[in-house]
Amino acid sequence: MISVSGLGMRFGNRQVLADINLDVADGEIVAIMGSSGGGKTTLLRCISGLIRPTSGMVQVDGIDVAKRPEEARKCMGLVFQSAALFDYMPVGQNVLFGIRRRLKAKPDEAKRIAEEALARVGLQGSEPLMPAELSGGMRKRVGIARAIALKPKVMLYDEPTTGLDPITTYNIDGLIATLRETLSVTSLIVSHDVTSVFRVADRIAFLHEGRLIFSGTAEEFRDSRETSIRELIEKSEAASLSSASSDRFA
Ligand SMILES: Nc1ncnc2c1ncn2[C@@H]1O[C@H](COP(=O)(O)OP(=O)(O)O)[C@@H](O)[C@H]1O
Ligand SMILES: [Mg+2]
């Protein structure tokens, strides 16, 4: 469903991504992990066609993203790091916006599609709420509803759980997994949350200094000898130990 081959991205004289090869099968959930500034968001933006890579190729559902960007973009739903809602529009309008523009749906039909998308993320009836009234997790859900309303084949999530508490994170992970089942979408998730990735991803790809240094299952990831991967896993284990002990002594 997604095929990235020999992708490179340079900003000025700075090579941010080099020789990235990544294939994601239909219905698969793949997580991209890596250190901050490692090029994860840039890779997602290249795949989505928001920016054009300086070398290599991206195909989504057999469509060359650089050659047929409009068509490729129609297959993809994007969930940005900040939910990127229009703060002056109620939830319903936020979801309707893309449906009217992209699906060219009539008002009644658009309204029904928006209702269905909001119901799928557990926010039925939230149309009149303003974004400022929502919790972080709810904002993420609205962002997801807005994307799935357009019936994408591929969902691209940039840090969907960053900044959320563990329970909200757990719920968003559950939602991502459910959407794979109910909508049979293929998902690519950028994340640095090891617990969350182990829970939801079929496969993990790890970016380090602009190169993909690992691709494999959670188990293979856990056993990896790569220093940068070990550091991330150890940091995550230390964090969960310290939260477990603070629970115990609370
Ligand atoms: N439009 C841009 N122009 C110049 N440099 C950029 C641009 N976008 C990203 N970068 C640089 O590319 C590197 C990778 O950024 P990013 O993809 O956002 O990393 P990550 O999402 O892994 O934290 C960073 O050093 C960032 O400053
Ligand atoms: Mg990023």
Side-chain angles (χ1 to χ4, degrees):
M1 185 54 68
I2 304 173
S3 167
V4 176
S5 53
L7 183 144
M9 185 71 209
R10 211 174 42 236
F11 292 113
N13 57 7
R14 190 144 179 249
Q15 191 78 33
V16 172
L17 295 170
D19 195 30
I20 305 289
N21 296 291
L22 177 70
D23 285 309
V24 183
D26 193 3
E28 205 177 10
I29 299 183
V30 172
I32 300 174
M33 304 198 81
S35 44
S36 182
K40 303 180 297 297
T41 296
T42 303
L43 177 57
L44 220 53
R45 294 178 73 212
C46 285
I47 292 172
S48 68
L50 284 174
I51 54 173
R52 198 175 171 151
T54 37
S55 56
M57 182 164 71
V58 179
Q59 284 181 304
V60 175
D61 196 23
I63 302 167
D64 184 326
V65 176
K67 287 202 182 119
R68 289 146 71 197
E70 289 295 311
E71 213 177 317
R73 241 173 274 171
K74 278 188 193 144
C75 318
M76 291 183 265
L78 259 69
V79 179
F80 296 98
Q81 194 163 352
S82 62
L85 303 179
F86 297 110
D87 283 324
Y88 55 90
M89 281 184 197
V91 166
Q93 293 298 325
N94 262 284
V95 179
L96 274 170
F97 187 78
I99 302 172
R100 290 242 183 82
R101 229 177 53 161
R102 281 261 294 272
L103 302 183
K104 316 254 184 278
K106 297 212 170 69
D108 277 3
E109 174 68 358
K111 191 163 161 278
R112 195 194 56 72
I113 296 171
E115 273 171 16
E116 189 196 312
L118 282 167
R120 281 197 192 278
V121 301
L123 287 177
Q124 50 275 47
S126 66
E127 283 88 342
L129 298 177
M130 292 305 284
E133 300 176 74
L134 308 177
S135 67
M138 286 165 88
R139 292 176 70 90
K140 284 279 152 76
R141 282 171 191 274
V142 175
I144 295 172
R146 195 169 55 178
I148 62 169
L150 306 177
K151 312 266 185 296
K153 291 182 178 168
V154 169
M155 284 289 285
L156 304 173
Y157 300 92
D158 196 357
E159 311 243 6
T161 61
T162 299
L164 300 180
D165 63 79
I167 293 171
T168 310
T169 295
Y170 180 86
N171 291 334
I172 295 286
D173 289 342
L175 176 61
I176 291 172
T178 304
L179 292 176
R180 177 245 295 266
E181 302 307 325
T182 52
L183 306 175
S184 30
V185 286
T186 304
S187 316
L188 198 55
I189 308 171
V190 165
S191 176
H192 56 243
D193 184 337
V194 178
T195 315
S196 159
V197 163
F198 280 179
R199 195 156 48 209
V200 76
D202 301 315
R203 209 147 51 81
I204 301 168
F206 193 90
L207 261 181
H208 183 62
E209 292 173 356
R211 289 180 180 272
L212 212 56
I213 59 162
F214 170 91
S215 171
T217 62
E219 219 156 78
E220 289 161 348
F221 187 78
R222 217 182 267 122
D223 294 340
S224 168
R225 303 314 318 158
E226 289 284 350
T227 314
S228 45
I229 295 179
R230 289 254 54 87
E231 277 171 5
L232 179 68
I233 292 174
E234 276 152 28
K235 220 189 289 168
S236 151
E237 281 168 354
S240 67
L241 272 180
S242 79
S243 74
S245 65
S246 64
D247 285 350
R248 208 168 319 135
F249 296 116

